[in-house]
Amino acid sequence: MSPLWRRIVPRSMRLRSRLRLKNGRWRLATPDRVMLEDVIVPEFLGQEDITRVLDVGVAWYTRTYPRLYRGIEYHTIDVDPAMQRIAGPHHRTLSMTDLATVYPPDTFDLVMCNGVFGWGLNTADQVARGLEASANVLRPGGWLVVGWNDMAGRRVPDLDALAARHFDRAVLPAARADHLVTPTHYAHRYDFFTRR
Ligand SMILES: C[S@@+](CC[C@H](N)C(=O)[O-])C[C@H]1O[C@@H](n2cnc3c(N)ncnc32)[C@H](O)[C@@H]1O
């Protein structure tokens, strides 16, 4: 964004241009967010065996997600205690790497990990620990979605090799592919896996 644009257009107005109104709520309108909310999440909501989900990482633009995931049990964690205030009713302040200290094995049918690898868990070792912890709390056959930015400074090191320790790549029916790349300047993509 040009410095001139920043100077002459108030922040509130710039933000409004990146928002969309959906089901009576303001939501981020970036292509990666629309892909998540309009394609990926509805696919899982339509699967009968998805009844309990863990969403890793909370942000102001995920405040509406308890509603987005309505009809299934929606849990969240965030390592930052400040996120408790804006999270839904089933929230814990916790690192993804420590999931097993709170949740028993086979607790979840889906772990949604969007914007955490590269945004907190950055090294190969940290990513590996996050993946292993997810595998521990997912039932066999449960889904893992990893959303990340395929760009310098955010790229996840060796995601495929690390995930292959516990997960198989899986085709998401709505995407007809095991990954989706969104048309964003930060190259946001989603990769789909199931737990072995
Ligand atoms: C870019 S936001 C992503 C929010 C949301 N998941 C989404 O769909 O965009 C990153 C969030 O992940 C949290 N986070 C970073 N490392 C974490 C970890 N090890 N465990 C849990 N949350 C973490 C941060 O505190 C921050 O709130």
Side-chain angles (χ1 to χ4, degrees):
M1 188 185 301
S2 78
L4 181 63
W5 170 259
R6 272 186 191 284
R7 227 177 321 125
I8 60 178
V9 181
R11 185 172 186 277
S12 58
M13 202 179 292
R14 292 199 312 263
L15 193 59
R16 185 77 56 85
S17 71
R18 288 192 290 134
L19 296 179
R20 65 183 178 137
L21 195 58
K22 189 182 172 192
N23 298 338
R25 294 284 191 277
W26 288 103
R27 297 170 185 273
L28 262 186
T30 54
D32 54 313
R33 200 51 55 183
V34 173
M35 187 74 78
L36 179 71
E37 295 173 2
D38 289 9
V39 177
I40 298 171
V41 172
E43 164 70 44
F44 288 119
L45 294 181
Q47 294 188 13
E48 270 182 10
D49 57 354
I50 305 279
T51 60
R52 195 179 295 133
V53 58
L54 175 69
D55 201 356
V56 181
V58 172
W60 66 265
Y61 46 81
T62 66
R63 285 177 89 138
T64 55
Y65 281 15
R67 206 174 138 108
L68 178 71
Y69 283 89
R70 68 190 168 281
I72 64 176
E73 215 179 287
Y74 177 68
H75 296 251
T76 53
I77 61 159
D78 200 297
V79 74
D80 180 355
M83 294 300 147
Q84 175 88 44
R85 194 176 52 82
I86 60 169
H90 301 295
H91 180 79
R92 305 295 289 258
T93 296
L94 182 71
S95 172
M96 184 186 195
T97 53
D98 297 329
L99 287 174
T101 62
V102 170
Y103 304 106
D106 298 357
T107 299
F108 297 105
D109 306 303
L110 164 66
V111 171
M112 185 64 73
C113 175
N114 188 36
V116 179
F117 296 160
W119 294 86
L121 297 180
N122 303 341
T123 66
D125 180 57
Q126 290 170 334
V127 170
R129 289 196 289 131
L131 290 168
E132 183 177 12
S134 300
N136 287 339
V137 299
L138 272 169
R139 65 163 164 82
W143 287 80
L144 169 72
V145 177
V146 180
W148 54 290
N149 289 4
D150 192 4
M151 63 183 288
R154 300 279 183 207
R155 188 168 286 126
V156 181
D158 300 326
L159 177 64
D160 268 326
L162 299 175
R165 296 179 188 171
H166 308 280
F167 297 93
D168 296 317
R169 280 201 160 270
V171 170
L172 188 78
R176 296 201 195 103
D178 63 9
H179 68 282
L180 277 172
V181 180
T182 66
T184 47
H185 64 85
Y186 38 91
H188 196 77
R189 60 179 284 158
Y190 296 98
D191 287 81
F192 310 113
F193 303 93
T194 49
R195 202 208 122 181
R196 271 199 293 280

